Amino acid sequence: MEARRLFRELVEEYFSEATVALANQSRAAKPTLALVTLSFGAVKRTLHPIKKVADGVEISNYPSRVTVQVDVFTHGVAVYHEGELIGYEDSSTDDMSAFVDFLNSQYVLEWGQLHDVSVLVDGDIQCLTGVVNDNNYEYRSRITVQLYYTHRVTGRAAVLDEDSLLYPHEDEEGETVYTPEEPPETESTIGGPTGNDADISDEKTVVIEPHFEPTTSGGGSQKLADEETGYFTEAEITEEDKDK
């Protein structure tokens, strides 16, 4: 849900004069302005996670991706002849091409680095005008986007919220405070883990405050959230002489 929220906010930032809504909303009235709909599809992730330990708690990271269909509905561009309106030209693919330019821009690249996500346009810009018989929105185009992100799982039973993982930040008074927001990377990752990777690997800089909420379908429980994984920090080794 966090990845979907981030992408929706990015689309809203670009289509600031349009209405951006999730597709397949039951009994939702269509707006009168230009409309952009987002349809999130299948989620694909790795079978085995990348495991790390923070504050004595195991963290599992699943590189993941979700398919997103972005549809643009527009009234088109007015066409005049001798000062008289004679119709509207289909501009939906032009509008979508401009949006793809935005997704490929340096601005979105830096946005992805900040939020640890990646956006990749998959395939062609499709013109769907006339596919759906709709008098309100007769011009329509679509693109498919692959949204890559990391799904992070916390705790022995993997039911703790990602917000349980807290990162250190310095407030205005110079005091260290811990929040769920990951610190931005400030160093190059060439040659070894730095930035976010280094922070989550260092038990001294990341703390865990268990936080649990059941899923919308009732998944998880407080009992599972309270499960702890045992570990040791010291081990005593004794040597025995088998000849004695």
Side-chain angles (χ1 to χ4, degrees):
M1 292 183 66
E2 177 70 11
R4 294 198 296 268
R5 180 189 64 81
L6 286 172
F7 185 72
R8 187 173 69 250
E9 291 178 351
L10 180 68
V11 176
E12 290 175 342
E13 185 175 4
Y14 178 79
F15 289 103
S16 59
E17 301 297 325
T19 298
V20 178
L22 297 177
N24 305 319
Q25 297 293 303
S26 178
R27 298 181 181 180
K30 288 185 177 180
T32 57
L33 300 176
L35 173 65
V36 180
T37 62
L38 306 178
S39 178
F40 293 88
V43 175
K44 183 177 181 179
R45 65 181 192 174
T46 57
L47 179 61
H48 301 289
I50 301 170
K51 294 182 179 292
K52 296 183 179 181
V53 175
D55 199 17
V57 178
E58 184 177 277
I59 309 296
S60 299
N61 299 278
Y62 291 89
S64 310
R65 80 177 187 196
V66 60
T67 301
V68 191
Q69 286 186 348
V70 182
D71 287 67
V72 169
F73 299 81
T74 177
H75 296 302
V77 177
V79 178
Y80 293 89
H81 178 68
E82 296 181 352
E84 181 180 354
L85 178 64
I86 60 173
Y88 291 86
E89 181 182 358
D90 187 353
S91 61
S92 60
T93 55
D94 295 79
D95 294 349
M96 189 64 83
S97 295
F99 177 57
V100 171
D101 293 341
F102 171 71
L103 294 180
N104 292 332
S105 68
Q106 182 68 22
Y107 178 86
V108 174
L109 178 61
E110 294 175 358
W111 170 86
Q113 291 174 339
L114 178 63
H115 297 288
D116 194 24
V117 298
S118 179
V119 178
L120 176 65
V121 178
D122 186 7
D124 301 327
I125 299 173
Q126 304 177 58
C127 179
L128 301 184
T129 298
V131 174
V132 178
N133 185 15
D134 193 324
N135 294 329
N136 291 329
Y137 293 95
E138 54 185 331
Y139 299 132
R140 177 185 182 185
S141 64
R142 170 183 293 176
I143 60 171
T144 300
V145 172
Q146 302 295 343
L147 179 62
Y148 294 83
Y149 61 97
T150 301
H151 176 63
R152 185 162 294 146
V153 179
T154 307
R156 183 185 182 192
V159 298
L160 296 179
D161 294 341
E162 291 190 36
D163 289 348
S164 301
L165 189 63
L166 304 181
Y167 301 88
H169 296 269
E170 189 174 294
D171 61 13
E172 298 179 352
E173 299 178 355
E175 300 291 334
T176 300
V177 295
Y178 289 86
T179 70
E181 182 181 356
E182 293 187 46
E185 294 186 0
T186 56
E187 302 177 26
S188 171
T189 56
I190 298 176
T194 58
N196 293 339
D197 289 338
D199 291 337
I200 197 172
S201 299
D202 188 352
E203 294 186 5
K204 298 179 181 179
T205 59
V206 177
V207 299
I208 301 293
E209 289 188 4
H211 180 258
F212 163 75
E213 287 187 7
T215 66
T216 55
S217 54
S221 68
Q222 189 61 50
K223 180 180 178 180
L224 291 175
D226 293 337
E227 289 285 338
E228 294 183 357
T229 302
Y231 69 97
F232 59 87
T233 58
E234 296 181 0
E236 182 177 349
I237 301 176
T238 59
E239 182 178 354
E240 296 183 0
D241 190 349
K242 294 183 178 180
D243 296 334
K244 293 183 179 181

